[in-house]
Amino acid sequence: MLDISLRVRVHVETLPATQNDMGVCDAFEQYVPVGKPDAMNAPHPPKVAGIDSTVPAPAHTVASVSTSTSPGVPQNPPSPPGALLQDRLAGWVSDLTTLHELTERLVRTATLDEALQELLRAGAALVGARRGLVVLEPADGLGPDTTVGLGLGRADLGHIETVPRSSLPYGRILDGLPGTDDGVVEADLFAEKGLDPRHREVAARLGYAASYALPLTTGSGRRLGAAVWLYDEPAEPEEHRRHLVGLYTRYAAEHLARLLELERTRASMATIADELLPARLPRVPGVQLAARHRTCARGGGDWYDALPLPDAALGLAVGSVTGSGPSAVAAMGRLRASLRAYAVMEGEDPVAVLSDLELLLRLTEPARSATALFGYCEPALRKITLAGAGHSPPLLLGERRTQYVETSVSAPLGMLACWEAPSVEIHAEPGETVLLYTDGLLHRTGDPTDRAFARLHAAAAGVPAALRNDPGAIADHVLRTVLPDGADPADTPEDVVLLAARFA
């Protein structure tokens, strides 16, 4: 494992002793003046940046000393003492700097896809290749399994996947065949005997003639996948390049293992949260519904609901439980299930529904609070009777107006000994849409509250006329506009919920 600190400090006084374990002792012995004590018997200080003693000398630092004594041949002047050592030390510092920069770029990646792309780019630079691919296939079988290419399109990767797995270098690595732990070199595919005809055909089609593959294995022996770099002409990396890319991939495997666990956690939390939310929205005459939900990495407590009620009515709800993680997701599920029960019993009175929910939360979840918005919707009248507890106001948008619905200011559930707030009524025109959302939509923008509200209002007002007949298209446009690329961080603790109801 290469463990490179943020800054590599080289002290001139300690360089000779420090490099004793780096293959340059012979240079010292060669140039030690006769009669002087051997300084190499001194205790060794710690190795620079954890470089292993088996690292070979860089190829560009190898120097030859002429020993020719033939008459008439001019003799090269002898190298000054320490010249070879200085050259080798310069090579080592250059290698350390390169690895430091590459690993710094790797650790700045926050997602698995970003890390795999950075691994391919850095490895290609180290081995002198132009293209490559990495196959992520954890040995535990829990996934995720994916293939990422560098300089290869989807069609190219598809062609490679048509080659029998046993004839591909990464396939032999992933299957754990003997002799693959140190990598697989195919220096000239077209000269290799016994090469699968399909492999030769694909290589000719894609224009590569050689490959170098390495396993992605952590220090504990956990195999995550394999990386392959492709050469346009017959070639293979020299020993020095192999060692550098080996150090890098061992470090990269540890980083990938951490991101892999994070990706699995995110997927599990997203699955649990989705299972606790409606599998599909009801179809009620007079109103069209659409919902969008983005869960955070740790799993948040935002929810939405839409349930049919007696007399052709509809209950609409959005809410958020404080906190994140499994406990918040579980609390969200309990609260949403309770709200459904109260809505069936007394949904025509939203204030009573939220009052019952507040009492339940205070008795069963005393350490938590929650915001909620519940509306009793009568599609035939295009009317919603609404009550809110510490929640952001709905947004009404249509051809003639885009405005926030005025709701009473009230505390979140669980914050006061007794919650109550008056309800309000929304009367929509034909073709108008009511947007209910959670605070995560505003918080993820990173803007102050007033600017976040202004951004949301502008996004709703800017919905193209061609999209206004589809509540799903309206919700997607609002999300894309409010949270463009770069404004929706993957590690945010905020969920996002958006529920759109369009009246016919």
Side-chain angles (χ1 to χ4, degrees):
M1 170 59 61
L2 175 64
D3 185 12
I4 301 177
S5 61
L6 292 180
R7 291 180 175 85
V8 178
R9 297 182 177 87
V10 180
H11 298 281
V12 176
E13 295 84 355
T14 60
L15 272 175
T18 303
Q19 297 294 333
N20 185 30
D21 288 334
M22 298 173 65
V24 294
C25 292
D26 54 341
F28 270 106
E29 294 172 358
Q30 180 178 354
Y31 294 113
V32 170
V34 178
K36 291 191 177 182
D38 187 359
M40 303 313 292
N41 293 326
H44 296 174
K47 292 187 241 183
V48 175
I51 290 292
D52 193 357
S53 60
T54 60
V55 177
H60 63 273
T61 65
V62 175
S64 60
V65 179
S66 176
T67 57
S68 173
T69 57
S70 301
V73 177
Q75 299 297 314
N76 294 328
S79 300
L84 179 59
L85 173 63
Q86 292 177 4
D87 188 42
R88 287 191 175 182
L89 290 181
W92 284 119
V93 171
S94 175
D95 292 341
L96 288 172
T97 302
T98 299
L99 289 175
H100 170 69
E101 292 175 353
L102 294 178
T103 52
E104 279 289 289
R105 285 164 52 181
L106 179 67
V107 298
R108 285 196 293 266
T109 57
T111 65
L112 199 57
D113 286 340
E114 291 177 359
L116 293 175
Q117 288 287 352
E118 181 58 34
L119 165 66
L120 281 175
R121 285 192 292 266
L126 289 173
V127 303
R130 188 172 62 89
R131 293 178 292 172
L133 68 153
V134 59
V135 181
L136 189 69
E137 189 177 303
D140 57 13
L142 300 179
D145 296 346
T146 186
T147 301
V148 177
L150 174 68
L152 298 171
R154 285 184 176 272
D156 298 333
L157 295 176
H159 285 306
I160 294 175
E161 290 176 353
T162 63
V163 179
R165 180 184 175 101
S166 58
S167 66
L168 289 170
Y170 71 78
R172 299 195 292 273
I173 290 175
L174 295 176
D175 292 340
L177 298 181
T180 60
D181 291 339
D182 296 328
V184 178
V185 179
E186 293 178 332
D188 190 347
L189 288 171
F190 300 104
E192 184 176 341
K193 296 181 179 180
L195 185 68
D196 185 272
R198 179 57 183 166
H199 192 181
R200 182 177 287 105
E201 178 184 347
V202 169
R205 176 189 292 267
L206 301 184
Y208 68 89
S211 66
Y212 178 57
L214 278 178
L216 298 175
T217 307
T218 65
S220 60
R222 177 186 177 191
R223 180 157 292 172
L224 305 179
V228 187
W229 290 277
L230 306 176
Y231 296 90
D232 296 341
E233 302 293 338
E236 62 178 296
E238 59 189 9
E239 183 181 1
H240 176 59
R241 287 179 177 267
R242 292 188 198 179
H243 192 86
L244 290 180
V245 75
L247 291 173
Y248 179 80
T249 53
R250 286 198 292 272
Y251 182 91
E254 299 294 340
H255 183 63
L256 290 174
R258 292 188 290 269
L259 292 179
L260 182 64
E261 292 303 320
L262 181 59
E263 188 77 15
R264 288 176 174 178
T265 301
R266 288 174 177 170
S268 297
M269 295 308 302
T271 300
I272 293 173
D274 289 341
E275 289 297 324
L276 292 174
L277 295 175
R280 62 179 179 271
L281 297 173
R283 294 184 177 181
V284 178
V287 65
Q288 295 174 280
L289 300 175
R292 299 294 182 266
H293 177 223
R294 292 187 186 179
T295 187
C296 66
R298 295 187 292 274
D302 289 14
W303 86 88
Y304 67 91
D305 208 347
L307 67 156
L309 296 176
D311 301 325
L314 184 68
L316 302 176
V318 293
S320 177
V321 175
T322 55
S324 60
S327 61
V329 174
M332 175 269 286
R334 293 191 293 268
L335 208 62
R336 173 180 167 269
S338 302
L339 186 142
R340 290 176 69 91
Y342 298 143
V344 170
M345 292 186 295
E346 47 191 2
E348 68 279 359
D349 185 357
V351 172
V353 172
L354 293 187
S355 295
D356 292 342
L357 193 65
E358 193 275 337
L359 178 61
L360 177 71
L361 182 67
R362 185 153 40 89
L363 294 176
T364 61
E365 308 269 356
R368 290 192 183 277
S369 63
T371 65
L373 200 65
F374 178 75
Y376 180 76
C377 177
E378 299 172 86
L381 302 177
R382 295 190 298 276
K383 184 178 76 171
I384 301 178
T385 305
L386 195 71
H391 208 83
S392 299
L395 185 59
L396 181 63
L397 66 99
E399 292 184 3
R400 298 181 180 179
R401 59 176 174 172
T402 300
Q403 63 186 43
Y404 287 103
V405 177
E406 293 292 338
T407 57
S408 59
V409 178
S410 60
L413 304 176
M415 297 291 289
L416 300 177
C418 182
W419 175 90
E420 186 162 340
S423 61
V424 297
E425 290 186 356
I426 301 175
H427 293 274
E429 298 294 332
E432 289 190 328
T433 301
V434 177
L435 292 179
L436 309 180
Y437 54 92
T438 57
D439 293 341
L441 180 61
L442 305 174
H443 295 165
R444 281 204 190 189
T445 64
D447 292 337
T449 302
D450 55 342
R451 294 183 62 182
F453 275 116
R455 176 183 287 191
L456 175 58
H457 184 277
V463 175
L467 303 180
R468 291 180 179 264
N469 294 329
D470 183 357
I474 293 174
D476 291 335
H477 176 85
V478 170
L479 283 176
R480 285 195 306 267
T481 307
V482 176
L483 302 176
D485 293 340
D488 187 13
D491 58 348
T492 177
E494 299 283 351
D495 276 9
V496 171
V497 162
L498 188 60
L499 179 61
R502 181 185 178 276
F503 291 93

